[in-house]
Amino acid sequence: MHNLVRMRILGIDPGLRLTGYGVIERHGARLSYVASGTIRIPAAGELPGRLKHILDGMAEVIATHRPEIAVIEKVFVNANPQSTLLLGQARGAAICALVLAELPVSEYTALQIKQSVAGHGKAQKSAVQEMVKRLLKLSGTPSPDSADALAAAICHTSHIAMTAAAGGQLARMGLKVKGGRLVG
Amino acid sequence: MHNLVRMRILGIDPGLRLTGYGVIERHGARLSYVASGTIRIPAAGELPGRLKHILDGMAEVIATHRPEIAVIEKVFVNANPQSTLLLGQARGAAICALVLAELPVSEYTALQIKQSVAGHGKAQKSAVQEMVKRLLKLSGTPSPDSADALAAAICHTSHIAMTAAAGGQLARMGLKVKGGRLVG
């Protein structure tokens, strides 16, 4: 069970060229920005070395910011199958870094993430950046990759809030959820 | 520089349901079988847990058999983009396990692997199993996943042998290869 009062969340936007990350903190209903950035993976070189770059970069982010949970965007399959394969390998490496650090990992689709920050699933990149800036009271606009990663983390907080609210309502009705089922 | 006289090689046939592995040893021109098997990944459960299963399984294989280098099959993109993405993530996790163990990793296509064990790139699964059995003097036929992993390891030994032979010929001509170029 996570602490619902204070929680530090790491969001990840995976990619083989750029992997975005964003760390936020949730205190009750209030969100605050901790850090964000982009792990740049060298375009040259063999795949194993590039995946190691993701593992090492993620490990450094985790060691520096000590999140308690992680959230990663469910990626879309790309029109180009070779790109889909490369993206899959990059995402696999990012998830490996998270499980090696023993972080619980939640996954949300881009649609869910956009809905939670911008109110609809077809929001443009720029709208996501703007909403992330507003929700976290940032002085500047985050890069697209950082914004997507921060948005993933924000999405998780709204998911937790909904689950908690639903739990509260159910409790008042004398019910609870166990193993995905309502029990009296 | 690897020891060309004695070398222990781990071959990997990556997959999200089954990841095959095979360990062989090369003593000069002679190959011998060390071990092989399959890491079975639970079909149920979230992706992070399944990738952790690959990381842990591979770490155990590496700790038990202590290979000096690793070889992994370059996978084909699948007709189904979602399968390609899943396979990419599984392959990414297998490569992460190799780089975490600081093993140098070589990659070969299925075509190169089949060519090196069966003499042509369109060999059937059963032909690869049969040739692996013969080359390693096994008493029984290995499973398809183990055979593919052993074949990947065998492919690397023939690559080393060719490189060494080419190096010897060049040396007799007073030349060598440096940074991919012939130098006098």
Side-chain angles (χ1 to χ4, degrees):
Chain A
M1 194 60 192
H2 298 300
N3 179 355
L4 288 176
V5 177
R6 190 200 151 280
M7 188 189 290
R8 190 171 271 213
I9 306 164
L10 167 62
I12 304 290
D13 178 33
L16 189 54
R17 209 169 55 79
L18 300 172
T19 284
Y21 68 90
V23 184
I24 66 171
E25 222 169 59
R26 178 178 184 274
H27 313 255
R30 198 166 63 81
L31 300 182
S32 61
Y33 173 86
V34 176
S36 65
T38 307
I39 300 168
R40 284 170 197 282
I41 298 103
E46 297 291 322
L47 184 74
R50 300 176 75 193
L51 297 186
K52 184 168 192 313
H53 201 92
I54 296 176
L55 275 181
D56 291 347
M58 293 277 307
E60 196 182 317
V61 167
I62 294 166
T64 306
H65 301 295
R66 305 202 157 277
E68 292 148 283
I69 58 169
V71 185
I72 189 163
E73 189 172 323
K74 278 190 185 167
V75 295
F76 275 110
V77 297
N78 198 293
N80 176 341
Q82 199 58 42
S83 302
T84 300
L85 186 63
L86 288 173
L87 178 57
Q89 292 172 111
R91 188 173 192 269
I95 293 176
C96 284
L98 301 175
V99 299
L100 285 166
E102 297 181 358
L103 291 177
V105 183
S106 294
E107 302 178 273
Y108 297 97
T109 62
L111 187 83
Q112 290 174 303
I113 294 171
K114 285 177 176 179
Q115 253 163 356
S116 77
V117 298
H120 61 102
K122 290 188 174 173
Q124 301 285 324
K125 281 247 174 214
S126 58
V128 171
Q129 287 170 278
E130 197 47 50
M131 283 307 298
V132 165
K133 182 185 170 187
R134 200 183 301 179
L135 288 166
L136 297 177
K137 301 181 182 62
L138 303 178
S139 54
T141 306
S143 75
D145 300 289
S146 297
D148 281 353
L150 289 166
I154 294 169
C155 174
H156 189 61
T157 64
S158 63
H159 185 83
I160 299 167
M162 279 192 297
T163 309
Q169 281 188 353
L170 292 175
R172 282 189 291 280
M173 294 162 72
L175 299 168
K176 60 182 176 177
V177 177
K178 197 172 170 179
R181 286 162 176 275
L182 266 183
V183 291
Chain B
M1 193 62 192
H2 297 301
N3 180 356
L4 289 176
V5 177
R6 190 202 151 281
M7 188 190 288
R8 191 170 271 214
I9 305 163
L10 167 62
I12 304 289
D13 179 32
L16 188 54
R17 209 170 55 79
L18 300 173
T19 283
Y21 67 89
V23 184
I24 65 171
E25 221 168 60
R26 178 179 184 274
H27 312 256
R30 200 166 62 80
L31 299 182
S32 61
Y33 172 87
V34 177
S36 64
T38 307
I39 300 168
R40 285 171 196 280
I41 298 105
E46 298 291 322
L47 182 75
R50 301 176 75 192
L51 297 186
K52 184 168 192 312
H53 201 93
I54 296 176
L55 275 181
D56 291 348
M58 292 279 305
E60 195 181 318
V61 167
I62 294 166
T64 306
H65 301 294
R66 306 204 156 276
E68 291 147 285
I69 58 171
V71 185
I72 189 161
E73 189 172 322
K74 278 188 186 168
V75 294
F76 275 110
V77 298
N78 198 292
N80 176 342
Q82 200 56 43
S83 303
T84 300
L85 186 64
L86 289 173
L87 178 56
Q89 292 172 113
R91 188 173 192 268
I95 293 176
C96 283
L98 301 175
V99 299
L100 284 167
E102 298 182 357
L103 291 177
V105 183
S106 294
E107 302 178 273
Y108 297 98
T109 62
L111 188 83
Q112 289 174 304
I113 294 171
K114 285 177 176 177
Q115 253 163 355
S116 77
V117 299
H120 61 102
K122 292 190 173 171
Q124 302 284 325
K125 282 248 173 216
S126 59
V128 171
Q129 287 170 280
E130 197 46 51
M131 283 307 299
V132 165
K133 181 185 170 189
R134 200 183 302 179
L135 288 166
L136 297 176
K137 301 180 182 64
L138 304 177
S139 55
T141 305
S143 74
D145 299 289
S146 297
D148 281 353
L150 289 165
I154 293 168
C155 174
H156 188 63
T157 64
S158 62
H159 184 83
I160 298 166
M162 278 192 296
T163 310
Q169 281 187 352
L170 293 174
R172 282 189 289 280
M173 294 162 72
L175 299 167
K176 59 182 174 178
V177 176
K178 197 172 171 181
R181 287 161 177 273
L182 265 184
V183 290

